[in-house]
Amino acid sequence: MEHHLLGRTGRLVSVVGLGTWQLGTDWGDVSEADAHAVIDAALEAGVTFVDTADVYGDGRSEQLIGSYLAEHPDAPVTVATKMGRRVEQVPEAYTLEAFRGWIDRSRTNLRTDRLDLVQLHCPPTPVFSDDAVFDALDTLVDEGAIAAYGVSVETTAEALTAIARPNVATVQIILNAFRLKPFDEVLPAASEAGVGIIARVPLASGLLSGRYTAQTTFPESDHRTYNRNGEAFDVGETFSGVDYATGVEAAQEFARLVDELDTSAEGGTTLTPAQAAIAWLWQQPGVSTVIPGARSADQARANAAAGSARVLGPTFERGVRRIYDERFRAVLHEKW
């Protein structure tokens, strides 16, 4: 597994991490035993970065990670969590007092005295321009409650505002073969500032796995059913905001790119479309780590294997850009 520096945290982390939204809710039910098996498989495969949030299952994801790490206290893993989505989404909710309460809850869930990395979880846009918010976060670092802080954003404009903050360590942003806008300004600005980029939704909610058809259905408790049109939260979090039918067709085209190219991992194993999508991302300049989710141990191992893939090359790169330009640029590029 390759490792990259995680921005201003100063930590080296695996280029493929583990996103744990699936271990909370919103993707169907996952048992505690299955969740522990997913984490175990990921760490055994070389993953050293795990991302969660206090809102995933209202803390269940954090609790599952905390119980696993209590059983494996020597596991070499950096855990990032997120805060701020459990309250009404108004700027005035983001105060030092509120942060202390949210962080104390996460520390309890994760069974730790100090959180490795805390990210504001896609807060209202004015929060990114509020000096008091970042002063409060600095206070929590000084007090030892958190080691570092970052932000998770919906838009490139929010990312650029955050990157200009002197102590923001990381920016988490939707980034995948169907969502290329952050490459224009966000990644160059982050690289220049020394801010880490955490790429979330790397498979466009599973589209880039190439396994879905126009007839595929998802459970009612899965956000790919109940948030397809943005009914519950930002539509960009579900299928990256891509129209599902168009996304299925584009994913089939992406899979053909993988079939046509010599995209073998070290050791000669042919990459799946999902592995190629993950590998292509971490190989982009400025990307610190990519955080695909997993609902099974096999899926976690398969995702982690993408962290040892060799460079996919310029022909593959051109193919990805062509699909985006032909299918998505006109309808998506200016939205986020």
Side-chain angles (χ1 to χ4, degrees), residues 126-158:
V127 168
F128 294 99
S129 300
D130 189 341
D131 292 343
V133 167
F134 294 91
D135 289 344
L137 292 167
D138 288 335
T139 296
L140 292 164
V141 172
D142 292 341
E143 292 176 350
I146 61 177
Y149 64 82
V151 297
S152 184
V153 304
E154 296 289 3
T155 70
T156 56
E158 291 170 346

PDB file of all heavy atoms in Angstrom, residues 126-158:
ATOM      1  N   PRO A 126     -21.676  30.181   5.213  1.00  0.00           N
ATOM      2  CA  PRO A 126     -21.082  31.281   5.983  1.00  0.00           C
ATOM      3  C   PRO A 126     -20.114  30.838   7.076  1.00  0.00           C
ATOM      4  O   PRO A 126     -19.272  31.637   7.506  1.00  0.00           O
ATOM      5  CB  PRO A 126     -22.310  31.992   6.582  1.00  0.00           C
ATOM      6  CG  PRO A 126     -23.432  31.678   5.654  1.00  0.00           C
ATOM      7  CD  PRO A 126     -23.163  30.272   5.207  1.00  0.00           C
ATOM      8  N   VAL A 127     -20.219  29.605   7.527  1.00  0.00           N
ATOM      9  CA  VAL A 127     -19.326  29.111   8.582  1.00  0.00           C
ATOM     10  C   VAL A 127     -17.866  29.173   8.142  1.00  0.00           C
ATOM     11  O   VAL A 127     -16.968  29.459   8.944  1.00  0.00           O
ATOM     12  CB  VAL A 127     -19.715  27.670   8.978  1.00  0.00           C
ATOM     13  CG1 VAL A 127     -18.643  27.020   9.862  1.00  0.00           C
ATOM     14  CG2 VAL A 127     -21.061  27.667   9.693  1.00  0.00           C
ATOM     15  N   PHE A 128     -17.603  28.953   6.869  1.00  0.00           N
ATOM     16  CA  PHE A 128     -16.232  28.920   6.379  1.00  0.00           C
ATOM     17  C   PHE A 128     -15.561  30.296   6.439  1.00  0.00           C
ATOM     18  O   PHE A 128     -14.339  30.390   6.397  1.00  0.00           O
ATOM     19  CB  PHE A 128     -16.197  28.393   4.936  1.00  0.00           C
ATOM     20  CG  PHE A 128     -16.621  26.955   4.811  1.00  0.00           C
ATOM     21  CD1 PHE A 128     -17.909  26.635   4.414  1.00  0.00           C
ATOM     22  CD2 PHE A 128     -15.748  25.931   5.099  1.00  0.00           C
ATOM     23  CE1 PHE A 128     -18.318  25.318   4.301  1.00  0.00           C
ATOM     24  CE2 PHE A 128     -16.132  24.606   4.994  1.00  0.00           C
ATOM     25  CZ  PHE A 128     -17.426  24.300   4.592  1.00  0.00           C
ATOM     26  N   SER A 129     -16.353  31.344   6.550  1.00  0.00           N
ATOM     27  CA  SER A 129     -15.809  32.707   6.607  1.00  0.00           C
ATOM     28  C   SER A 129     -15.854  33.303   8.009  1.00  0.00           C
ATOM     29  O   SER A 129     -15.536  34.484   8.188  1.00  0.00           O
ATOM     30  CB  SER A 129     -16.596  33.610   5.649  1.00  0.00           C
ATOM     31  OG  SER A 129     -16.516  33.151   4.327  1.00  0.00           O
ATOM     32  N   ASP A 130     -16.202  32.512   9.005  1.00  0.00           N
ATOM     33  CA  ASP A 130     -16.381  33.003  10.369  1.00  0.00           C
ATOM     34  C   ASP A 130     -15.111  32.773  11.188  1.00  0.00           C
ATOM     35  O   ASP A 130     -14.764  31.642  11.533  1.00  0.00           O
ATOM     36  CB  ASP A 130     -17.565  32.272  11.015  1.00  0.00           C
ATOM     37  CG  ASP A 130     -17.965  32.864  12.358  1.00  0.00           C
ATOM     38  OD1 ASP A 130     -17.143  33.577  12.974  1.00  0.00           O
ATOM     39  OD2 ASP A 130     -19.093  32.593  12.805  1.00  0.00           O
ATOM     40  N   ASP A 131     -14.394  33.840  11.501  1.00  0.00           N
ATOM     41  CA  ASP A 131     -13.150  33.718  12.267  1.00  0.00           C
ATOM     42  C   ASP A 131     -13.375  33.034  13.613  1.00  0.00           C
ATOM     43  O   ASP A 131     -12.521  32.266  14.080  1.00  0.00           O
ATOM     44  CB  ASP A 131     -12.549  35.104  12.508  1.00  0.00           C
ATOM     45  CG  ASP A 131     -12.041  35.761  11.243  1.00  0.00           C
ATOM     46  OD1 ASP A 131     -11.853  35.043  10.237  1.00  0.00           O
ATOM     47  OD2 ASP A 131     -11.826  36.989  11.252  1.00  0.00           O
ATOM     48  N   ALA A 132     -14.520  33.297  14.251  1.00  0.00           N
ATOM     49  CA  ALA A 132     -14.780  32.730  15.576  1.00  0.00           C
ATOM     50  C   ALA A 132     -14.839  31.208  15.532  1.00  0.00           C
ATOM     51  O   ALA A 132     -14.434  30.530  16.488  1.00  0.00           O
ATOM     52  CB  ALA A 132     -16.080  33.293  16.143  1.00  0.00           C
ATOM     53  N   VAL A 133     -15.330  30.655  14.436  1.00  0.00           N
ATOM     54  CA  VAL A 133     -15.400  29.202  14.296  1.00  0.00           C
ATOM     55  C   VAL A 133     -14.001  28.600  14.334  1.00  0.00           C
ATOM     56  O   VAL A 133     -13.734  27.623  15.052  1.00  0.00           O
ATOM     57  CB  VAL A 133     -16.112  28.823  12.985  1.00  0.00           C
ATOM     58  CG1 VAL A 133     -15.908  27.345  12.663  1.00  0.00           C
ATOM     59  CG2 VAL A 133     -17.597  29.140  13.077  1.00  0.00           C
ATOM     60  N   PHE A 134     -13.085  29.189  13.598  1.00  0.00           N
ATOM     61  CA  PHE A 134     -11.742  28.626  13.519  1.00  0.00           C
ATOM     62  C   PHE A 134     -10.920  28.954  14.759  1.00  0.00           C
ATOM     63  O   PHE A 134     -10.040  28.182  15.153  1.00  0.00           O
ATOM     64  CB  PHE A 134     -11.077  29.067  12.215  1.00  0.00           C
ATOM     65  CG  PHE A 134     -11.780  28.487  11.016  1.00  0.00           C
ATOM     66  CD1 PHE A 134     -12.810  29.173  10.391  1.00  0.00           C
ATOM     67  CD2 PHE A 134     -11.450  27.221  10.560  1.00  0.00           C
ATOM     68  CE1 PHE A 134     -13.489  28.626   9.315  1.00  0.00           C
ATOM     69  CE2 PHE A 134     -12.122  26.658   9.487  1.00  0.00           C
ATOM     70  CZ  PHE A 134     -13.145  27.358   8.869  1.00  0.00           C
ATOM     71  N   ASP A 135     -11.223  30.072  15.405  1.00  0.00           N
ATOM     72  CA  ASP A 135     -10.613  30.346  16.708  1.00  0.00           C
ATOM     73  C   ASP A 135     -11.023  29.275  17.718  1.00  0.00           C
ATOM     74  O   ASP A 135     -10.210  28.823  18.537  1.00  0.00           O
ATOM     75  CB  ASP A 135     -11.043  31.723  17.224  1.00  0.00           C
ATOM     76  CG  ASP A 135     -10.412  32.869  16.446  1.00  0.00           C
ATOM     77  OD1 ASP A 135      -9.434  32.622  15.714  1.00  0.00           O
ATOM     78  OD2 ASP A 135     -10.918  34.011  16.563  1.00  0.00           O
ATOM     79  N   ALA A 136     -12.297  28.865  17.669  1.00  0.00           N
ATOM     80  CA  ALA A 136     -12.781  27.822  18.573  1.00  0.00           C
ATOM     81  C   ALA A 136     -12.078  26.499  18.308  1.00  0.00           C
ATOM     82  O   ALA A 136     -11.685  25.785  19.245  1.00  0.00           O
ATOM     83  CB  ALA A 136     -14.292  27.663  18.417  1.00  0.00           C
ATOM     84  N   LEU A 137     -11.891  26.170  17.044  1.00  0.00           N
ATOM     85  CA  LEU A 137     -11.184  24.937  16.705  1.00  0.00           C
ATOM     86  C   LEU A 137      -9.730  24.992  17.164  1.00  0.00           C
ATOM     87  O   LEU A 137      -9.176  24.003  17.671  1.00  0.00           O
ATOM     88  CB  LEU A 137     -11.271  24.679  15.204  1.00  0.00           C
ATOM     89  CG  LEU A 137     -12.676  24.331  14.693  1.00  0.00           C
ATOM     90  CD1 LEU A 137     -12.730  24.412  13.175  1.00  0.00           C
ATOM     91  CD2 LEU A 137     -13.091  22.939  15.168  1.00  0.00           C
ATOM     92  N   ASP A 138      -9.097  26.141  17.008  1.00  0.00           N
ATOM     93  CA  ASP A 138      -7.729  26.305  17.513  1.00  0.00           C
ATOM     94  C   ASP A 138      -7.674  26.094  19.028  1.00  0.00           C
ATOM     95  O   ASP A 138      -6.729  25.491  19.549  1.00  0.00           O
ATOM     96  CB  ASP A 138      -7.195  27.699  17.164  1.00  0.00           C
ATOM     97  CG  ASP A 138      -6.874  27.868  15.692  1.00  0.00           C
ATOM     98  OD1 ASP A 138      -6.596  26.853  15.026  1.00  0.00           O
ATOM     99  OD2 ASP A 138      -6.912  29.014  15.211  1.00  0.00           O
ATOM    100  N   THR A 139      -8.683  26.587  19.735  1.00  0.00           N
ATOM    101  CA  THR A 139      -8.747  26.406  21.183  1.00  0.00           C
ATOM    102  C   THR A 139      -8.793  24.929  21.546  1.00  0.00           C
ATOM    103  O   THR A 139      -8.113  24.476  22.478  1.00  0.00           O
ATOM    104  CB  THR A 139      -9.983  27.129  21.756  1.00  0.00           C
ATOM    105  OG1 THR A 139      -9.839  28.529  21.547  1.00  0.00           O
ATOM    106  CG2 THR A 139     -10.141  26.854  23.253  1.00  0.00           C
ATOM    107  N   LEU A 140      -9.560  24.158  20.796  1.00  0.00           N
ATOM    108  CA  LEU A 140      -9.681  22.730  21.081  1.00  0.00           C
ATOM    109  C   LEU A 140      -8.388  21.978  20.801  1.00  0.00           C
ATOM    110  O   LEU A 140      -8.077  21.004  21.482  1.00  0.00           O
ATOM    111  CB  LEU A 140     -10.838  22.144  20.274  1.00  0.00           C
ATOM    112  CG  LEU A 140     -12.210  22.659  20.716  1.00  0.00           C
ATOM    113  CD1 LEU A 140     -13.262  22.374  19.652  1.00  0.00           C
ATOM    114  CD2 LEU A 140     -12.614  22.031  22.038  1.00  0.00           C
ATOM    115  N   VAL A 141      -7.634  22.440  19.816  1.00  0.00           N
ATOM    116  CA  VAL A 141      -6.300  21.868  19.601  1.00  0.00           C
ATOM    117  C   VAL A 141      -5.396  22.205  20.778  1.00  0.00           C
ATOM    118  O   VAL A 141      -4.685  21.340  21.323  1.00  0.00           O
ATOM    119  CB  VAL A 141      -5.689  22.377  18.280  1.00  0.00           C
ATOM    120  CG1 VAL A 141      -4.235  21.927  18.161  1.00  0.00           C
ATOM    121  CG2 VAL A 141      -6.493  21.879  17.084  1.00  0.00           C
ATOM    122  N   ASP A 142      -5.415  23.463  21.200  1.00  0.00           N
ATOM    123  CA  ASP A 142      -4.575  23.899  22.323  1.00  0.00           C
ATOM    124  C   ASP A 142      -4.917  23.134  23.602  1.00  0.00           C
ATOM    125  O   ASP A 142      -4.031  22.835  24.417  1.00  0.00           O
ATOM    126  CB  ASP A 142      -4.744  25.400  22.565  1.00  0.00           C
ATOM    127  CG  ASP A 142      -4.182  26.249  21.427  1.00  0.00           C
ATOM    128  OD1 ASP A 142      -3.357  25.731  20.652  1.00  0.00           O
ATOM    129  OD2 ASP A 142      -4.586  27.425  21.320  1.00  0.00           O
ATOM    130  N   GLU A 143      -6.189  22.816  23.781  1.00  0.00           N
ATOM    131  CA  GLU A 143      -6.624  22.106  24.982  1.00  0.00           C
ATOM    132  C   GLU A 143      -6.357  20.604  24.920  1.00  0.00           C
ATOM    133  O   GLU A 143      -6.513  19.906  25.930  1.00  0.00           O
ATOM    134  CB  GLU A 143      -8.121  22.341  25.209  1.00  0.00           C
ATOM    135  CG  GLU A 143      -8.458  23.780  25.595  1.00  0.00           C
ATOM    136  CD  GLU A 143      -9.947  24.026  25.715  1.00  0.00           C
ATOM    137  OE1 GLU A 143     -10.746  23.148  25.316  1.00  0.00           O
ATOM    138  OE2 GLU A 143     -10.325  25.115  26.198  1.00  0.00           O
ATOM    139  N   GLY A 144      -5.962  20.117  23.749  1.00  0.00           N
ATOM    140  CA  GLY A 144      -5.639  18.703  23.614  1.00  0.00           C
ATOM    141  C   GLY A 144      -6.812  17.791  23.329  1.00  0.00           C
ATOM    142  O   GLY A 144      -6.656  16.562  23.316  1.00  0.00           O
ATOM    143  N   ALA A 145      -7.997  18.353  23.074  1.00  0.00           N
ATOM    144  CA  ALA A 145      -9.161  17.516  22.774  1.00  0.00           C
ATOM    145  C   ALA A 145      -9.086  16.937  21.364  1.00  0.00           C
ATOM    146  O   ALA A 145      -9.597  15.850  21.096  1.00  0.00           O
ATOM    147  CB  ALA A 145     -10.446  18.316  22.942  1.00  0.00           C
ATOM    148  N   ILE A 146      -8.464  17.689  20.462  1.00  0.00           N
ATOM    149  CA  ILE A 146      -8.274  17.223  19.088  1.00  0.00           C
ATOM    150  C   ILE A 146      -6.835  17.499  18.670  1.00  0.00           C
ATOM    151  O   ILE A 146      -6.218  18.458  19.120  1.00  0.00           O
ATOM    152  CB  ILE A 146      -9.254  17.903  18.117  1.00  0.00           C
ATOM    153  CG1 ILE A 146      -9.053  19.425  18.079  1.00  0.00           C
ATOM    154  CG2 ILE A 146     -10.695  17.582  18.494  1.00  0.00           C
ATOM    155  CD1 ILE A 146      -9.957  20.141  17.065  1.00  0.00           C
ATOM    156  N   ALA A 147      -6.312  16.636  17.818  1.00  0.00           N
ATOM    157  CA  ALA A 147      -4.942  16.820  17.341  1.00  0.00           C
ATOM    158  C   ALA A 147      -4.887  17.767  16.151  1.00  0.00           C
ATOM    159  O   ALA A 147      -3.908  18.505  15.979  1.00  0.00           O
ATOM    160  CB  ALA A 147      -4.333  15.471  16.963  1.00  0.00           C
ATOM    161  N   ALA A 148      -5.933  17.743  15.315  1.00  0.00           N
ATOM    162  CA  ALA A 148      -5.970  18.587  14.120  1.00  0.00           C
ATOM    163  C   ALA A 148      -7.412  18.693  13.658  1.00  0.00           C
ATOM    164  O   ALA A 148      -8.271  17.913  14.065  1.00  0.00           O
ATOM    165  CB  ALA A 148      -5.105  17.988  13.010  1.00  0.00           C
ATOM    166  N   TYR A 149      -7.662  19.680  12.796  1.00  0.00           N
ATOM    167  CA  TYR A 149      -9.011  19.831  12.265  1.00  0.00           C
ATOM    168  C   TYR A 149      -8.988  20.134  10.770  1.00  0.00           C
ATOM    169  O   TYR A 149      -8.015  20.644  10.218  1.00  0.00           O
ATOM    170  CB  TYR A 149      -9.808  20.897  13.024  1.00  0.00           C
ATOM    171  CG  TYR A 149      -9.281  22.319  12.925  1.00  0.00           C
ATOM    172  CD1 TYR A 149      -9.569  23.132  11.831  1.00  0.00           C
ATOM    173  CD2 TYR A 149      -8.500  22.863  13.948  1.00  0.00           C
ATOM    174  CE1 TYR A 149      -9.102  24.432  11.757  1.00  0.00           C
ATOM    175  CE2 TYR A 149      -8.032  24.167  13.874  1.00  0.00           C
ATOM    176  CZ  TYR A 149      -8.332  24.947  12.777  1.00  0.00           C
ATOM    177  OH  TYR A 149      -7.863  26.241  12.711  1.00  0.00           O
ATOM    178  N   GLY A 150     -10.097  19.778  10.157  1.00  0.00           N
ATOM    179  CA  GLY A 150     -10.278  20.048   8.738  1.00  0.00           C
ATOM    180  C   GLY A 150     -11.738  20.332   8.460  1.00  0.00           C
ATOM    181  O   GLY A 150     -12.530  20.569   9.380  1.00  0.00           O
ATOM    182  N   VAL A 151     -12.102  20.293   7.193  1.00  0.00           N
ATOM    183  CA  VAL A 151     -13.479  20.550   6.800  1.00  0.00           C
ATOM    184  C   VAL A 151     -13.888  19.534   5.738  1.00  0.00           C
ATOM    185  O   VAL A 151     -13.062  19.029   4.976  1.00  0.00           O
ATOM    186  CB  VAL A 151     -13.668  21.975   6.237  1.00  0.00           C
ATOM    187  CG1 VAL A 151     -13.360  23.025   7.291  1.00  0.00           C
ATOM    188  CG2 VAL A 151     -12.816  22.200   4.993  1.00  0.00           C
ATOM    189  N   SER A 152     -15.168  19.239   5.726  1.00  0.00           N
ATOM    190  CA  SER A 152     -15.776  18.500   4.627  1.00  0.00           C
ATOM    191  C   SER A 152     -16.702  19.480   3.919  1.00  0.00           C
ATOM    192  O   SER A 152     -17.452  20.197   4.576  1.00  0.00           O
ATOM    193  CB  SER A 152     -16.559  17.303   5.168  1.00  0.00           C
ATOM    194  OG  SER A 152     -17.076  16.525   4.112  1.00  0.00           O
ATOM    195  N   VAL A 153     -16.628  19.530   2.600  1.00  0.00           N
ATOM    196  CA  VAL A 153     -17.330  20.572   1.856  1.00  0.00           C
ATOM    197  C   VAL A 153     -18.205  19.973   0.765  1.00  0.00           C
ATOM    198  O   VAL A 153     -17.995  18.834   0.331  1.00  0.00           O
ATOM    199  CB  VAL A 153     -16.333  21.573   1.220  1.00  0.00           C
ATOM    200  CG1 VAL A 153     -15.426  22.177   2.285  1.00  0.00           C
ATOM    201  CG2 VAL A 153     -15.510  20.899   0.121  1.00  0.00           C
ATOM    202  N   GLU A 154     -19.157  20.779   0.323  1.00  0.00           N
ATOM    203  CA  GLU A 154     -19.972  20.414  -0.836  1.00  0.00           C
ATOM    204  C   GLU A 154     -19.452  21.068  -2.114  1.00  0.00           C
ATOM    205  O   GLU A 154     -19.532  20.474  -3.180  1.00  0.00           O
ATOM    206  CB  GLU A 154     -21.434  20.835  -0.623  1.00  0.00           C
ATOM    207  CG  GLU A 154     -22.138  20.142   0.520  1.00  0.00           C
ATOM    208  CD  GLU A 154     -22.441  18.670   0.271  1.00  0.00           C
ATOM    209  OE1 GLU A 154     -22.046  18.141  -0.794  1.00  0.00           O
ATOM    210  OE2 GLU A 154     -23.058  18.051   1.147  1.00  0.00           O
ATOM    211  N   THR A 155     -18.912  22.294  -1.998  1.00  0.00           N
ATOM    212  CA  THR A 155     -18.563  23.045  -3.202  1.00  0.00           C
ATOM    213  C   THR A 155     -17.079  23.392  -3.243  1.00  0.00           C
ATOM    214  O   THR A 155     -16.400  23.460  -2.215  1.00  0.00           O
ATOM    215  CB  THR A 155     -19.368  24.360  -3.282  1.00  0.00           C
ATOM    216  OG1 THR A 155     -18.907  25.264  -2.259  1.00  0.00           O
ATOM    217  CG2 THR A 155     -20.854  24.105  -3.107  1.00  0.00           C
ATOM    218  N   THR A 156     -16.610  23.656  -4.454  1.00  0.00           N
ATOM    219  CA  THR A 156     -15.223  24.068  -4.613  1.00  0.00           C
ATOM    220  C   THR A 156     -14.982  25.437  -3.986  1.00  0.00           C
ATOM    221  O   THR A 156     -13.897  25.695  -3.460  1.00  0.00           O
ATOM    222  CB  THR A 156     -14.834  24.101  -6.101  1.00  0.00           C
ATOM    223  OG1 THR A 156     -15.729  24.964  -6.810  1.00  0.00           O
ATOM    224  CG2 THR A 156     -14.910  22.713  -6.712  1.00  0.00           C
ATOM    225  N   ALA A 157     -15.979  26.313  -4.025  1.00  0.00           N
ATOM    226  CA  ALA A 157     -15.820  27.639  -3.410  1.00  0.00           C
ATOM    227  C   ALA A 157     -15.601  27.503  -1.903  1.00  0.00           C
ATOM    228  O   ALA A 157     -14.753  28.191  -1.316  1.00  0.00           O
ATOM    229  CB  ALA A 157     -17.038  28.508  -3.691  1.00  0.00           C
ATOM    230  N   GLU A 158     -16.353  26.618  -1.244  1.00  0.00           N
ATOM    231  CA  GLU A 158     -16.149  26.385   0.189  1.00  0.00           C
ATOM    232  C   GLU A 158     -14.755  25.832   0.450  1.00  0.00           C
ATOM    233  O   GLU A 158     -14.084  26.225   1.414  1.00  0.00           O
ATOM    234  CB  GLU A 158     -17.208  25.402   0.707  1.00  0.00           C
ATOM    235  CG  GLU A 158     -18.612  25.977   0.724  1.00  0.00           C
ATOM    236  CD  GLU A 158     -19.670  24.932   1.009  1.00  0.00           C
ATOM    237  OE1 GLU A 158     -19.355  23.721   0.927  1.00  0.00           O
ATOM    238  OE2 GLU A 158     -20.819  25.325   1.297  1.00  0.00           O
TER     239      GLU A 158
END
